[in-house]
Structure formats: structure tokens, C-alpha cells
Amino acid sequence: MRAVVFDRYGPPDVLRLEDVERPVPKEDEVLVKVHATTVNRLDCATREANRRSGLALSFMSRLVFGLRQPRQRVLGTEFAGEVEAVGAAVREFAVGDKVFGSSGLSFGAHAEFICMRESARIAHMPAGMTFEEAAPICDGALNALTCLKQADLRKGRRILIYGASGSIGTAGVQLARYFEADVTAVCSTKNLETVRSLGADRVIDYTQEDFTKNGQTYDVIFDAVGKHSFRRCRGSLRPGGIYLPTDGFGNLILALVTPRLGGKKVLFQIPPRQTKQDVLFLKELIEAGKYRPVIDRRYPLEDVVEATRYVETEQKTGNVVLTI
Ligand SMILES: NC(=O)c1ccc[n+]([C@@H]2O[C@H](COP(=O)([O-])OP(=O)(O)OC[C@H]3O[C@@H](n4cnc5c(N)ncnc54)[C@H](OP(=O)(O)O)[C@@H]3O)[C@@H](O)[C@H]2O)c1
């Protein structure tokens, strides 16, 4: 089968198309013929061994994915496609079913076929969706859900979502609204309308207004794009308020220390717990019209390097899809 592989950590052009062996499903596994996948920030960070996040995180990344070179040669965490074959013990899926899901840190979705355990993050595609629409359901939403679950969102709670136009941010706005919180979203001018259309109660253009200086306070501040900090946001949190980061080694330390001190705190779940139940929950939300993944650009698999370069501008709105 064709797959995008890489043999050394580095810039996007370490990626290349190659013929590799097609995976064979084990007893409890499903073989999926992938029709669409995505390039996301996790793919990019792993491909360059988290070089941009500093030495400590880069070393940790290499410990997990291969010290000198990547152990898993095929990136890609999200997929939508058709079941091609099933193992003898598989009950939930049959050949021909349309499915979507997330392989997470196991990767392998930038290929014509991927094997998934039936108990893993795989589900039948929501009715009426195309493969391209279904491929980006998981990444932003599972990451946002992991963060937001820690914040006890409900009616009457005020949340500010910073970086509301990215993959995690666009999902975060919709999920926070689903949980009936009062949502203030922050993005740049070009994304105001998109973010408003996702259901934010109000949208702040960060090129015009600094939300930390307008006197408003929140129960929760979700930095969905890793560009803010607890220190800078602190004054905009209500007493006992929660700061939810999405990356940063310093935030790991703050998440260990601040909950023990009482008062305002950082909550950061590492490793993130994302389950099949979460994927089924997203499918239900989509079918109820309460969530839709935002798609920015689509590229054929052959243009994976170009797609990756675009994702690395850190300017995509929502998700970037690869079609196979
Ligand atoms: N996606 C993953 O799998 C994953 C997993 C774990 C952690 N993370 C981390 O989570 C963060 C977000 O990931 P993502 O995939 O959602 O990102 P993304 O989709 O690449 O975010 C792109 C968006 O960020 C906004 N942005 C860029 N610079 C900004 C700034 N200075 N202030 C506010 N917004 C800014 C841009 O919109 P504007 O023009 O409107 O600013 C753009 O729409 C990253 O730090 C990533 O490392 C991602």
C-alpha cells in the first residue's frame, strides 16, 4: 500500500510517499481502507521531535517515539474510511461499514490502510457525512474535551477560549456551548465570523483588544492554542478560577503545584485520557447538529509536504484534510 513515511526527525520534506506492507488485522482488529485523513499539530510536533517546545520536551518526545530515529514511520492520527476486513473476534463492525476515528499516539493514518482494535477510538461515521468531513472530527474535539471535562462547565459558568479559530479552539467553542457555559472567544479579525458562527456568545479580536485589560473575569480560561500563559491571564480569572493550557512544559509544573495551593489553578491532564466513549459522544453531537469540525484546506495525499508546511504556519482555521 502507499503510505507517507519518514526515517529521521526534521522539516516537512523528510516526508515521502513509499510502498509499504499492508497491515494485517489481528483477532480483535478492524482493517480500514482510509479515504481521508488530516495533518495536525501532533503530526508536525512528532515529526520534528517537538524541537520547538524546548530541550526537555524534545528529549521526552524522543524517549517516547524513538531516541535517534522515529520507531513509527507513518504519521497521521485521524481517519475516515471503509472497513476492508475484520478479525475473527470483531462484533461491532463488518466489511463495508463506513468508520472514522483516532489512532492517537499510535499514528499510522497517512496510509491507504490502518488497523484499529475494535475497542479503540473508532466508530461508525455519522449519517450524511462524507469521508473528508468525518476525518477531522476527532483531533481538535478530543483534545478540547479532555481539557474542558476538568472544568465543570455548566449553565452560569463563564469561559474564555483563547485561540478559538484553531482545531482545538473551534471544537472547544462548540463543546463549551453544548455544556451551556457562557462563551467568550478570542481570535484575529479574519476568523471573527467563523468563530461567531460556532456559537460563541461574544468574540474578541485580539488585534483590537487585550482581554486581560478590559476588566472582565471568567471561571475558566482555555488557552486552546498555547499562546497565552497563567501568569498573564491570572487577573482575568475569578477567585478559584481555572486555567486550561494545551501545551508547554512550564504548564506541567504549574499543574502539579497550583492545585495544592488553593485559589486560582492550572489543570492539565497528562497523559490525556481519550476513549472510545468520547468518540461515540462526538458522533452523537454531530448527529444532533451540535458539533461540526471546521475544515480549512484539503490536499491530495501526494501533497502532504505542502499541507504540512501550511499547518506549520500555525494559521490554519480548524483542520487540514488529506484525501486518499
Ligand atoms: N492538535 C493536536 O493534536 C494537539 C495535541 C496536543 C497539543 N496541541 C497543542 O495545542 C495547540 C493548538 O493546537 P491546534 O491544532 O488547535 O492549533 P492550530 O489549529 O494550528 O491553531 C491555528 C490557529 O491559531 C491561531 N493563532 C495563531 N497565533 C495566535 C496567537 N498569537 N494568538 C491567538 N491565536 C493564534 C490562528 O488564528 P488567528 O489568526 O485567529 O490568530 C489559527 O487559526 C498547539 O499549541 C499544539 O501544540 C495540539
Side-chain angles (χ1 to χ4, degrees), residues 142-157:
L142 290 181
N143 279 300
L145 195 57
T146 307
C147 296
L148 297 180
K149 271 183 184 174
Q150 304 174 92
D152 184 26
L153 285 187
R154 56 190 142 79
K155 210 176 185 116
R157 298 264 282 169

Side-chain angles (χ1 to χ4, degrees), residues 39-45 50 53 77-78 105 107 138-140 143 162-171 186-192 195 204-207 222-228 232 245-248 268 270 272 274 296 310-320:
V39 179
N40 59 43
R41 295 283 296 274
L42 183 59
D43 297 319
C44 296
N50 278 279
S53 304
T77 66
E78 296 178 282
L105 295 179
F107 295 99
C138 287
D139 176 62
N143 279 300
Y162 188 80
S165 51
S167 173
I168 298 177
T170 50
V186 184
C187 61
S188 73
T189 317
K190 72 176 195 297
N191 289 312
L192 290 174
V195 170
I204 295 176
D205 180 346
Y206 67 76
T207 68
F222 180 25
D223 179 4
V225 75
K227 299 283 185 196
H228 227 281
R232 278 160 62 211
T246 41
D247 68 6
F268 197 1
I270 294 286
Q274 300 172 350
D296 183 338
Y310 179 56
V311 173
E312 291 196 348
T313 62
E314 302 188 2
Q315 286 303 318
K316 70 178 163 68
T317 304
N319 301 279
V320 167

Side-chain angles (χ1 to χ4, degrees), residues 62 82 251 282:
R62 283 173 182 264
E82 276 170 284
N251 285 319
L282 295 178

Side-chain angles (χ1 to χ4, degrees), residues 37-302:
T37 175
T38 62
V39 179
N40 59 43
R41 295 283 296 274
L42 183 59
D43 297 319
C44 296
T46 307
R47 194 207 64 246
E48 57 169 26
N50 278 279
R51 183 181 56 83
R52 293 176 206 209
S53 304
L55 272 181
L57 270 184
S58 184
F59 180 66
M60 279 161 67
S61 177
R62 283 173 182 264
L63 278 184
V64 174
F65 298 110
L67 211 50
R68 288 173 184 280
Q69 62 207 40
R71 274 190 291 271
Q72 164 57 290
R73 297 174 72 219
V74 182
L75 293 169
T77 66
E78 296 178 282
F79 63 86
E82 276 170 284
V83 174
E84 177 85 2
V86 294
V90 169
R91 296 285 168 266
E92 189 185 338
F93 301 100
V95 171
D97 286 359
K98 293 180 175 178
V99 293
F100 76 103
S102 163
S103 56
L105 295 179
S106 301
F107 295 99
H110 289 171
E112 285 179 308
F113 294 91
I114 186 171
C115 276
M116 293 284 296
R117 279 200 335 277
E118 93 169 312
S119 59
R121 286 163 294 191
I122 177 170
H124 289 101
M125 261 169 50
M129 259 191 152
T130 65
F131 294 118
E132 290 178 28
E133 289 164 343
I137 291 174
C138 287
D139 176 62
L142 290 181
N143 279 300
L145 195 57
T146 307
C147 296
L148 297 180
K149 271 183 184 174
Q150 304 174 92
D152 184 26
L153 285 187
R154 56 190 142 79
K155 210 176 185 116
R157 298 264 282 169
R158 269 166 70 85
I159 182 171
L160 178 133
I161 302 182
Y162 188 80
S165 51
S167 173
I168 298 177
T170 50
V173 170
Q174 296 176 79
L175 291 170
R177 186 180 159 85
Y178 169 77
F179 292 125
E180 299 188 350
D182 179 280
V183 183
T184 300
V186 184
C187 61
S188 73
T189 317
K190 72 176 195 297
N191 289 312
L192 290 174
E193 271 322 304
T194 303
V195 170
R196 200 170 279 128
S197 76
L198 300 176
D201 294 286
R202 61 202 71 75
V203 185
I204 295 176
D205 180 346
Y206 67 76
T207 68
Q208 303 295 319
E209 182 182 345
D210 180 348
F211 78 87
T212 64
K213 298 206 171 101
N214 67 9
Q216 296 292 316
T217 55
Y218 305 89
D219 300 294
V220 182
I221 295 180
F222 180 25
D223 179 4
V225 75
K227 299 283 185 196
H228 227 281
S229 71
F230 182 52
R231 187 177 53 78
R232 278 160 62 211
C233 287
R234 219 189 156 105
S236 304
L237 280 172
R238 290 176 169 176
I242 296 169
Y243 175 74
L244 300 170
T246 41
D247 68 6
F249 188 66
N251 285 319
L252 286 180
I253 310 291
L254 287 171
L256 288 174
V257 177
T258 53
R260 291 180 165 79
L261 301 177
K264 301 174 185 180
K265 55 184 174 283
V266 178
L267 298 181
F268 197 1
Q269 191 186 80
I270 294 286
R273 282 186 290 280
Q274 300 172 350
T275 65
K276 184 181 180 90
Q277 287 313 316
D278 293 333
V279 175
L280 291 168
F281 169 68
L282 295 178
K283 172 177 148 70
E284 271 174 34
L285 283 196
I286 288 171
E287 289 180 337
K290 302 211 181 281
Y291 167 61
R292 66 177 165 92
V294 172
I295 297 177
D296 183 338
R297 295 189 185 177
R298 300 157 203 240
Y299 295 83
L301 186 70
E302 292 71 19

